[in-house]
Amino acid sequence: MGFASGSAAKMVFFRRFGLWLLISSFADLRSGDGFYLPGSYPHEYQVGDALSVKVNSLTSIETEMPFGYYGLPFCRPQEGIKDSAENLGELLMGDRIENSPYRFKMFTNESDVFLCGSNPLSSQDFDLLKKRIDEMYQVNVILDNLPAIRYTKKDDYVLRWTGYPVGVRAGDAYYVFNHLKFTVFVHKYEDANAARVVGSTGDAADVIQTTGKSGSGKPGWMVVGFEVVPCSFQHNAESIKNVKMYDKYPAKIQCDPITVAMKLTQNQPIVFTYEVAFVESDIKWPSRWDAYLKMEGAKVHWFSILNSLMVIAFLAGIVLVILLRTVRRDLTRYEELDKESQAQMNEELSGWKLVVGDVFRAPDHPLLLCVMVGDGVQILGMAVVTILFAALGFMSPASRGTLITGMLFFYLILGIVAGYFAVRIWKTIKCGDHSGWVGVSWRVACFFPGIAFLILTTLNFLLWGSQSTGAIPISLFIVLLLLWFCISVPLTLTGGFLGAKAPHIEYPVRTNQIPREIPPQKYPSWLLVIGAGTLPFGTLFIELFFIMSSLWMGRVYYVFGFLLVVLILLVIVCAEVSLVLTYMHICVEDWKWWWKSFFASGSVALYIFLYSVNYLVFDLKSLSGPVSATLYLGYSLFMVIAIMLATGTVGFISSFWFVHYLFSSVKLD
């Protein structure tokens, strides 16, 4: 997976700034005490110490369905297969990190190490290996929380990939990579106090404590790089009959990544070997993830985003200025007239002044609107807080699953805010009557999670049927349900109770008993509402490409600082677009602005979904099979529903504030 370049220094800045905030809060600690952010400190190894090599799920951009490493006839560890500690986010992402048979010792080079010989390939294993090779599955190996990285040359470019392919197809023959050449880059541990090492990467591997080692007089070493070169080598199966695991292979192995020799043959075993070399490196521990965060075309990435931000900010500023000038001019002209002139003006002119008695009339389906706004507040709050923490370095790519775990945690906690907003709007629509707030809160707690549960369950059945590790286990389903009903629902009900006790927003004008007839419009108003989503889409479509690439092409997304700026700009543009559309509607005496203000900005989700379909057709051409396409479209649908609720909420709240302010400023004597 090619990774992009140039931004590593900026990510280090955000990491250091975030860690500095925490360290400064513990300034009263003694200078000799070490301060550790959980999982952020380096691991010091002495020469000869055992290094834990792990394997993760097999992944492919062809199918987007991960599978377990030991589902293929690979060598197994002598002590048996053991799962590593996993967080909730790892399980949801399909990661299954397990121990491996590879055995490394710090600064101990080894070559021609015999690992194992598989059993003769059965027809089932033979067909499965061929299928995984055709689907371009990658094997992911991890050392000290660093994925193995592989370099290949194409023309004048050097491409970076994490992991290595299971094998390769040449004509009708299939070849498997059965010899691995590992290179481990190490850096001398320079400071016994890990508090001096600023730049957390959120590593979360098995910890080897540094306390006491520095006093032994022996230099400690940190792992700062991990590379792999896969080779297909034809072993002599007869010569390894008396060779045990980790013994020296009887013959010298020449690892040539360009040629392939180990052809897959049914009823024939596969012999696996490896070699490892340790190289001292100048790379410091805080910078060891820089190689994974490099991507060709970085200048295009940065300049495109900057150009997009400047253009959209300029357009949004023009829209805001025009709007404020128009509204201010109308208000000034209206208020400078005497009562008789105002009455005459009302008779002669049409516009927003004529809907003063209908503009706050309750919308159709008010309960659904309150529920959607409440869920939108919850989703938007979760996005802002999560991206902010990620921008400060607390959810770096090095800590697998942390981003998903953080999003889930913040979503649960913000249930109290969702219940409060939904019930308060409900109480406002009903002019101070808070009856039914329990039903509103309950629906807020179940609406979006229910949609998510339905989509994920449907997709999970597909993953279960494919025996993918991306399928959520039954135990995790139970955990998610418990989190939903034991944390999210009570917090949402608590927020609803607070919203019911809070004073409602009083309307500045009275609503007539008989609704005013809306004049026929020249163009369908909903056509304008749907078209309004193009401007918010323009603020994020460039960043959306990088997000989609990280989700579906296996790249690491790390420019959360830019994403935070884009999110803030998106909120501003959504507010302005919805505000302008609302003003245009009430100017033509269309007082049904409630739902239109929601979908004026929420319609950006429609364009994101169309972009997702475009990305599937033109960028994910290799995505194979109806199951993979269904998974892609299902996850995309889940994403756009969340975006619709969040952006629609921004539009509705801004329009409500604008309409309330506009009619509060008019003399109604």
Side-chain angles (χ1 to χ4, degrees):
M1 66 184 101
F3 290 121
S5 152
S7 308
K10 296 177 179 60
M11 180 185 177
V12 170
F13 166 76
F14 283 123
R15 293 199 309 250
R16 292 180 177 178
F17 177 72
L19 188 57
W20 174 81
L21 291 176
L22 278 184
I23 293 177
S24 63
S25 65
F26 286 83
D28 58 336
L29 292 175
R30 299 192 311 262
S31 60
D33 294 339
F35 174 80
Y36 296 92
L37 194 65
S40 67
Y41 42 88
H43 312 139
E44 178 190 3
Y45 301 94
Q46 299 296 323
V47 174
D49 283 349
L51 301 181
S52 177
V53 184
K54 301 179 181 180
V55 290
N56 201 350
S57 300
L58 307 176
T59 55
S60 170
I61 60 174
E62 293 272 335
T63 67
E64 302 298 346
M65 289 187 292
F67 289 96
Y69 174 84
Y70 292 107
L72 294 181
F74 292 142
C75 301
R76 296 171 180 253
Q78 291 178 330
E79 65 274 17
I81 301 172
K82 299 177 182 177
D83 291 333
S84 294
E86 295 173 324
N87 58 47
L88 190 60
E90 282 181 321
L91 292 171
L92 291 173
M93 292 295 293
D95 289 335
R96 298 294 184 272
I97 300 177
E98 300 163 311
N99 59 332
S100 78
Y102 299 103
R103 188 174 65 182
F104 296 174
K105 293 181 180 178
M106 174 58 72
F107 243 127
T108 304
N109 295 343
E110 295 181 280
S111 61
D112 309 329
V113 180
F114 170 73
L115 201 58
C116 78
S118 71
N119 295 324
L121 292 179
S122 63
S123 60
Q124 183 179 0
D125 287 339
F126 178 71
D127 292 338
L128 184 60
L129 275 169
K130 290 198 303 181
K131 183 179 180 182
R132 295 290 181 260
I133 292 173
D134 282 334
E135 293 172 340
M136 298 179 62
Y137 269 88
Q138 303 284 317
V139 180
N140 299 295
V141 186
I142 302 170
L143 173 64
D144 195 46
N145 202 38
L146 283 180
I149 194 170
R150 176 172 59 95
Y151 293 92
T152 58
K153 286 187 177 181
K154 185 177 181 180
D155 299 329
D156 295 331
Y157 295 97
V158 176
L159 303 178
R160 302 169 182 86
W161 308 79
T162 56
Y164 64 92
V166 173
V168 65
R169 181 179 180 178
D172 294 331
Y174 291 84
Y175 298 87
V176 67
F177 290 117
N178 59 335
H179 178 80
L180 300 179
K181 181 180 180 181
F182 295 106
T183 304
V184 181
F185 295 92
V186 294
H187 186 79
K188 187 176 292 185
Y189 194 84
E190 298 172 343
D191 193 347
N193 186 354
R196 308 295 183 193
V197 184
V198 180
S200 161
T201 59
D203 289 355
D206 293 337
V207 176
I208 297 180
Q209 295 290 348
T210 63
T211 306
K213 285 193 175 184
S214 58
S216 64
K218 298 180 181 179
W221 299 90
M222 299 173 293
V223 176
V224 295
F226 187 35
E227 295 181 6
V228 62
V229 177
C231 300
S232 180
F233 185 81
Q234 182 64 56
H235 295 91
N236 185 356
E238 295 295 327
S239 65
I240 54 97
K241 286 185 177 179
N242 297 322
V243 181
K244 297 180 180 179
M245 184 178 280
Y246 307 121
D247 286 349
K248 195 85 170 178
Y249 185 74
K252 180 66 178 175
I253 301 175
Q254 295 293 336
C255 181
D256 184 3
I258 300 177
T259 61
V260 290
M262 186 60 208
K263 183 179 178 181
L264 281 180
T265 307
Q266 193 169 336
N267 298 322
Q268 293 296 319
I270 304 174
V271 178
F272 293 93
T273 55
Y274 72 93
E275 60 185 282
V276 57
F278 288 81
V279 178
E280 187 172 357
S281 172
D282 294 331
I283 299 173
K284 295 186 182 296
W285 186 81
S287 303
R288 68 181 194 155
W289 272 86
D290 289 1
Y292 301 85
L293 304 178
K294 292 182 179 180
M295 191 181 306
E296 284 70 26
K299 290 183 179 179
V300 176
H301 175 85
W302 293 102
F303 282 111
S304 296
I305 292 178
L306 184 60
N307 179 66
S308 176
L309 293 175
M310 292 178 64
V311 170
I312 296 302
F314 178 71
L315 292 175
I318 292 178
V319 169
L320 185 61
V321 168
I322 293 175
L323 176 67
L324 290 180
R325 280 190 172 184
T326 303
V327 174
R328 187 174 300 171
R329 184 175 64 248
D330 278 357
L331 284 175
T332 303
R333 287 182 57 201
Y334 191 81
E335 293 182 355
E336 285 179 352
L337 300 175
D338 55 25
K339 295 180 182 179
E340 184 177 346
S341 300
Q342 287 181 18
Q344 183 180 358
M345 180 180 179
N346 284 341
E347 293 177 0
E348 295 176 353
L349 298 178
S350 63
W352 57 269
K353 307 93 175 172
L354 301 180
V355 296
V356 65
D358 298 275
V359 72
F360 289 106
R361 188 177 302 280
D364 298 330
H365 312 292
L367 178 59
L368 179 60
L369 179 63
C370 295
V371 169
M372 294 176 70
V373 170
D375 279 327
V377 169
Q378 189 174 8
I379 295 170
L380 182 64
M382 173 204 69
V384 171
V385 176
T386 303
I387 294 173
L388 178 61
F389 272 81
L392 293 176
F394 296 109
M395 297 177 183
S396 79
S399 188
R400 294 173 186 82
T402 304
L403 188 65
I404 300 296
T405 305
M407 291 174 67
L408 187 59
F409 171 78
F410 292 131
Y411 181 82
L412 294 173
I413 297 301
L414 289 171
I416 191 170
V417 180
Y420 176 85
F421 269 85
V423 171
R424 185 128 190 244
I425 295 173
W426 172 256
K427 187 177 179 180
T428 298
I429 291 176
K430 297 188 68 177
C431 300
D433 182 11
H434 65 270
S435 61
W437 70 268
V438 175
V440 175
S441 303
W442 176 256
R443 287 172 174 82
V444 170
C446 296
F447 180 73
F448 178 72
I451 294 175
F453 188 80
L454 179 62
I455 294 175
L456 295 179
T457 302
T458 303
L459 298 180
N460 215 48
F461 278 118
L462 296 177
L463 293 169
W464 270 334
S466 303
Q467 297 181 336
S468 169
T469 58
I472 302 175
I474 293 293
S475 58
L476 184 56
F477 253 112
I478 296 174
V479 170
L480 293 175
L481 287 174
L482 290 175
L483 290 174
W484 181 7
F485 288 103
C486 296
I487 297 180
S488 180
V489 171
L491 286 177
T492 307
L493 290 172
T494 302
F497 173 77
L498 297 176
K501 295 296 182 183
H504 71 285
I505 303 172
E506 294 186 2
Y507 295 147
V509 294
R510 286 192 295 269
T511 301
N512 298 332
Q513 292 184 352
I514 301 175
R516 181 185 182 87
E517 183 179 355
I518 299 175
Q521 307 299 321
K522 188 174 182 180
Y523 300 104
S525 58
W526 284 103
L527 188 63
L528 193 61
V529 168
I530 294 175
T534 54
L535 190 57
F537 179 73
T539 66
L540 52 78
F541 80 96
I542 292 180
E543 198 68 21
L544 189 62
F545 170 78
F546 292 97
I547 295 174
M548 298 289 283
S549 298
S550 68
L551 289 175
W552 302 108
M553 301 295 286
R555 294 171 181 162
V556 177
Y557 186 86
Y558 61 95
V559 285
F560 291 104
F562 265 103
L563 184 59
L564 182 62
V565 174
V566 170
L567 179 62
I568 294 172
L569 191 57
L570 175 65
V571 169
I572 295 173
V573 173
C574 283
E576 292 176 345
V577 165
S578 181
L579 193 145
V580 170
L581 262 292
T582 299
Y583 181 71
M584 291 176 62
H585 280 120
I586 61 177
C587 277
V588 293
E589 302 178 40
D590 184 356
W591 46 266
K592 294 184 177 181
W593 59 269
W594 301 73
W595 280 107
K596 292 171 185 174
S597 67
F598 185 93
F599 286 111
S601 54
S603 61
V604 67
L606 173 63
Y607 297 95
I608 293 176
F609 187 76
L610 294 176
Y611 180 86
S612 301
V613 175
N614 174 81
Y615 190 86
L616 172 64
V617 174
F618 294 102
D619 293 273
L620 293 179
K621 298 177 183 178
S622 60
L623 199 65
S624 59
V627 174
S628 299
T630 303
L631 289 171
Y632 173 86
L633 292 175
Y635 288 126
S636 298
L637 180 63
F638 170 73
M639 178 181 69
V640 299
I641 290 175
I643 293 174
M644 180 201 69
L645 293 173
T647 54
T649 296
V650 172
F652 170 77
I653 293 177
S654 60
S655 292
F656 183 88
W657 169 84
F658 168 72
V659 172
H660 191 279
Y661 171 78
L662 180 62
F663 285 91
S664 298
S665 305
V666 179
K667 294 179 180 179
L668 300 172
D669 298 330

